[in-house]
């Protein structure tokens, strides 16, 4: 006999109803899978899922000879995952079991490539906070940007795209928080701790867009590089134009490889992501703080709707503790910060 509580609810009837609903769903699913054509429908969607899988799994094999197509794909590689829910919706509308099964492939590949970035890997502690920001040469409020960066709590701050007539503005605004600084060409380094031996780094551009200096911290010396690699463009008649950037990346990689410093940090706008093979000369010998200790993808550009992390904080001989994007300034890039242990 069904049990009835004091409110008059028939629990036996409710349980029976839920059981009946489950049975009906199972029966409907079984009928759907036996329905004629359910496995033949959606073949085109299944093929799209396979192509998407191949693009993500073998992105390194996409040639760069024609319009640097490989680098362009790798710049926005995480966004290919958006096609998975789109294809899933179409497969459900098409009622295609074949397409649904095929979609497991790109979903698993995307998770293998980027699943580790989704989780928050940041921790407490750290000896030093470093930050980098492409302030934009046409920034309409450089003083406000400088004040905002000074309030971030960074111990070491790298700035890129410094217009010559704006350098004094940044120097005045940052002087109180950062007693030590050096500007080389269009890049600069500000520090709460003493700086030693600042000098330009030649990245084969004809003018200075990279530098290095040594930060003298209580835990030991830290070599800091600041770099702004050449910009890239996407053009219909030329594809992804990045040859000058690639040349400068190789030169920067050689400089870092030849540096015997035990601890080294690279801060800057590399105009490329960690997935982009063209930056291998740099990225193959350093770790991304975002990848090691970040929360999410940490996209930095464009600031209004970040789609790629082309600004980087990379380390060698240093342990990342946390990595994050700072609030938007009046630049077209977001500033980035990281805490590291020396």
């Amino acid at each position: 006999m069904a049990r009835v509580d004091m409110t008059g609810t028939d629990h036996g009837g409710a349980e029976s109803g839920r059981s009946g609903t489950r049975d009906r769903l199972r029966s409907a699913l079984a009928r759907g899978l036996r329905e004629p054509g359910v496995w033949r429908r959606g073949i085109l969607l299944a093929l799209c899922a396979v192509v998407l899988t191949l693009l993500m799994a073998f992105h390194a094999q996409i040639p760069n000879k024609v319009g640097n197509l490989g680098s362009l794909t790798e710049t926005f590689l995480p966004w290919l995952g958006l096609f998975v829910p789109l294809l899933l919706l179409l497969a459900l509308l098409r009622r295609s079991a074949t397409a649904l099964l095929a979609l497991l492939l790109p979903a698993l590949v995307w998770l293998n490539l980027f699943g580790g970035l989704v989780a928050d890997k940041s921790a407490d502690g750290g000896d030093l906070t470093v930050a980098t920001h492409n302030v934009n040469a046409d920034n309409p409020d450089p003083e406000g940007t400088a004040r905002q960066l000074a309030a971030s709590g960074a111990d070491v701050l790298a700035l890129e795209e410094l217009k010559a007539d704006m350098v004094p503005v940044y120097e005045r605004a940052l002087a109180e928080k950062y007693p030590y600084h050096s500007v080389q060409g269009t890049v600069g380094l500000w520090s709460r701790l003493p700086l030693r031996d600042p000098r330009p780094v030649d990245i084969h551009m004809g003018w200075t867009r990279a530098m290095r200096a040594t930060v003298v911290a209580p835990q030991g010396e830290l070599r800091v590089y600041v770099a702004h690699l050449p910009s890239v463009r996407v053009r219909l008649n030329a594809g992804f134009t990045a040859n000058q950037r690639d040349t400068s990346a190789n030169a920067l990689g050689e400089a870092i490889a030849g540096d015997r410093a035990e601890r080294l940090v690279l801060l800057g706008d590399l105009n490329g992501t960690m997935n982009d093979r063209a930056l291998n000369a740099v990225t193959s010998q350093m770790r991304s703080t975002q990848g090691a200790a970040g929360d999410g993808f940490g996209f930095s550009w464009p600031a209004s709707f970040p789609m790629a992390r082309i600004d980087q904080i990379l380390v060698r001989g240093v342990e990342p503790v946390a990595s994050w994007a700072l609030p938007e300034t009046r630049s077209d890039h977001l500033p980035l910060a990281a805490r590291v242990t020396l």
Side-chain angles (χ1 to χ4, degrees), residues 69-259:
L69 186 58
S71 287
L72 178 60
T73 302
E74 289 164 340
T75 298
F76 300 103
L77 191 60
W79 293 93
L80 290 181
L82 290 180
F83 287 102
V84 174
L86 175 61
L87 291 174
L88 174 61
L89 176 61
L90 294 175
L92 290 173
L93 292 174
R94 193 74 178 87
R95 297 169 64 190
S96 168
T98 301
L100 288 173
L101 284 176
L103 278 170
L104 289 174
L105 296 174
L108 290 173
V109 170
W110 190 93
L111 287 173
N112 180 62
L113 289 173
F114 303 110
L117 291 175
V118 177
D120 183 359
K121 299 176 289 298
S122 59
D124 296 328
D127 299 321
L128 207 64
T129 298
V130 298
T132 181
H133 190 29
N134 179 327
V135 295
N136 188 357
D138 298 319
N139 191 319
D141 184 18
E143 185 174 357
T145 296
R147 288 198 303 266
Q148 190 172 331
L149 293 171
S152 69
D155 300 297
V156 176
L157 173 64
L159 301 184
E160 303 88 49
E161 209 166 294
L162 290 168
K163 189 185 287 186
D165 59 352
M166 289 292 103
V167 170
V169 177
Y170 288 101
E171 288 176 330
R172 287 194 299 269
L174 295 171
E176 182 179 354
K177 290 288 183 70
Y178 301 97
Y180 308 96
H181 86 281
S182 174
V183 175
Q184 306 284 335
T186 61
V187 297
L189 188 65
W190 275 259
S191 176
R192 298 179 189 269
L193 301 166
L195 290 179
R196 185 170 58 80
D197 193 25
R199 65 177 70 174
V201 174
D202 182 13
I203 56 172
H204 302 172
M205 291 193 64
W207 71 96
T208 301
R209 283 186 29 163
M211 64 169 291
R212 50 159 273 195
T214 300
V215 174
V216 183
Q219 298 83 4
E221 293 186 348
L222 174 69
R223 182 90 80 233
V224 178
Y225 280 72
V226 184
H228 182 195
L229 297 187
S231 299
V232 296
R233 298 286 185 270
V234 180
R235 298 171 179 168
L236 291 177
N237 62 339
F240 190 59
T241 57
N243 293 338
Q244 181 59 60
R245 183 209 59 179
D246 300 349
T247 299
S248 293
N250 290 335
L252 179 61
E254 289 177 8
I256 291 173
D259 195 316

